[in-house]
Amino acid sequence: MNKTGLYLANSGAMLIVASVLMGAFIVQFGFNEEPCPLCLLQRMGMLGVILGLSLNTWFGFRKEHFGLVILAALISAVFSIRQILLHICPAPGEPTGYGTAVMGMHLYSWAVVIYGACILGSVVFLFITKEEEKDTKRKPLTVETVIFYLVILITLANVVSAFFECHLGPCCENGPCP
């Protein structure tokens, strides 16, 4: 695969993760389901993945950028697995999951799949790309720039949404904190 193809694949990965965040917004606002604190941490993890991929777009492929993607995905996968374990065997009379299931799985279960794909994708990218020189003056393609600004818009929407849910204090599980 040539360099342009690799950069487009990188931007495509950014767009996929951004689409997952947009889907979370659809569930949040379309089904009126406020995200729990663990859900917000998982969203932050996806933003960390996007940050690492964005660094590739603007500064070239570097192992540090993929390291950031892998680290964000690993830490966030822990949050997702924690949430899965909270709901895998609920107490009698409690629901068997948090929120609406999408295609048979809850969003936190899908998050583990997404994070696994991010880790696997980063490893593949590390094998097939060569680290570029530090003085590379690559200009991102228009489609890459559009995806980057879309990601910034989604990030700002997440920050605003989290602020209105949590204000400046801690986020509480079921409604405002006492």
Side-chain angles (χ1 to χ4, degrees), residues 42-63:
Q42 292 164 40
R43 287 184 186 187
M44 286 175 42
M46 289 193 188
L47 293 173
V49 166
I50 290 172
L51 175 64
L53 295 171
S54 297
L55 291 172
N56 283 334
T57 298
W58 293 101
F59 302 110
F61 292 114
R62 304 240 194 300
K63 63 182 183 233

Side-chain angles (χ1 to χ4, degrees), residues 7 28 35 40 45 52 54 59 65 72 86 90 99 111 118 126 129 135 138 142-144 151 155 176:
Y7 278 105
Q28 177 179 347
L40 292 174
S54 297
F59 302 110
H65 303 163
L86 286 172
C118 290
L126 282 169
T129 60
D135 59 358
R138 179 184 178 274
T142 304
V143 68
E144 293 172 315
V151 166
T155 301

Side-chain angles (χ1 to χ4, degrees), residues 110-130:
W110 280 112
V112 172
V113 173
I114 299 292
Y115 294 131
C118 290
I119 293 167
L120 182 62
S122 293
V123 169
V124 169
F125 264 103
L126 282 169
F127 279 122
I128 64 176
T129 60
K130 293 184 178 142

Side-chain angles (χ1 to χ4, degrees), residues 16-31 43 102 107 154:
I16 289 169
V17 178
S19 297
V20 170
L21 288 174
M22 287 189 284
F25 274 134
I26 290 170
V27 170
Q28 177 179 347
F29 295 112
F31 296 105
R43 287 184 186 187
V102 177
L107 294 181
I154 292 169

Side-chain angles (χ1 to χ4, degrees), residues 31-108:
F31 296 105
N32 199 25
E33 293 184 11
E34 292 293 321
C36 67
L38 283 172
C39 298
L40 292 174
L41 288 172
Q42 292 164 40
R43 287 184 186 187
M44 286 175 42
M46 289 193 188
L47 293 173
V49 166
I50 290 172
L51 175 64
L53 295 171
S54 297
L55 291 172
N56 283 334
T57 298
W58 293 101
F59 302 110
F61 292 114
R62 304 240 194 300
K63 63 182 183 233
E64 293 87 0
H65 303 163
F66 289 114
L68 177 61
V69 171
I70 292 169
L71 184 63
L74 281 174
I75 291 171
S76 302
V78 170
F79 298 139
S80 298
I81 292 168
R82 162 99 166 105
Q83 193 165 8
I84 289 170
L85 292 175
L86 286 172
H87 299 289
I88 203 164
C89 188
E94 288 189 16
T96 57
Y98 185 84
T100 304
V102 177
M103 294 191 301
M105 290 182 6
H106 292 279
L107 294 181
Y108 46 85

